[in-house]
Amino acid sequence: MSSVPFHYVDLRTFCYATEDDKRVEDALRTFLPAEYPIERAESEGHYGDRIVVLSARVENADDVRHVLSQVATVDDIDAVKAELSDRVDDNCSFFLTFDKQAAFGGEARRGDGITLRAKVEAYPAKREKAVANARAVLDEL
């Protein structure tokens, strides 16, 4: 993939009080380049339980390529391509979620727990153009 039509990719997950912070961070690192910085923000749940939000924004083109190479290993990537018009919003953002437990095992599998949001380049900034650009990238993977 020569050019990357994404401005950035955000990855985010929550670490609940019943989970081990290190394991959840390892799951998120499945999608990130080695030693990539992860931001931590502590919050509190409805019943006073601790929730840690782990997130990373990837902006460098080579690092975005790395994240996309991990996305490409999803078994049902063809289903993702078929759902693109539902996965890109009016702000040209592409959304996909991954299974946190599978990611801890080093596998990229669709599910719940880790959210990917990628801002798709589109000129003019129209949803249809963003869907076409995202499709082109996924076809190259």
Side-chain angles (χ1 to χ4, degrees), residues 47-140:
Y47 296 103
D49 51 325
R50 177 187 65 94
I51 299 174
V52 178
V53 181
L54 301 173
S55 62
R57 176 169 280 195
V58 179
E59 296 177 310
N60 177 292
D62 289 336
D63 294 340
V64 170
R65 281 187 198 92
H66 178 84
V67 172
L68 293 176
S69 71
Q70 295 304 106
V71 171
T73 64
V74 171
D75 287 342
D76 56 349
I77 194 72
D78 291 330
V80 173
K81 292 176 192 177
E83 300 167 355
L84 269 177
S85 61
D86 295 328
R87 296 195 166 278
V88 176
D89 68 9
D90 290 336
N91 293 321
C92 301
S93 292
F94 167 67
F95 293 91
L96 192 58
T97 58
F98 298 97
D99 184 299
K100 191 183 338 181
Q101 187 64 41
F104 176 70
E107 178 186 352
R109 184 181 334 142
R110 288 176 55 190
D112 294 322
I114 298 175
T115 303
L116 176 144
R117 175 181 172 262
K119 185 70 168 183
V120 183
E121 288 181 358
Y123 303 104
K126 300 286 183 193
R127 185 175 166 279
E128 297 77 22
K129 181 69 174 161
V131 169
N133 287 347
R135 185 176 316 282
V137 168
L138 292 177
D139 285 341
E140 281 186 45

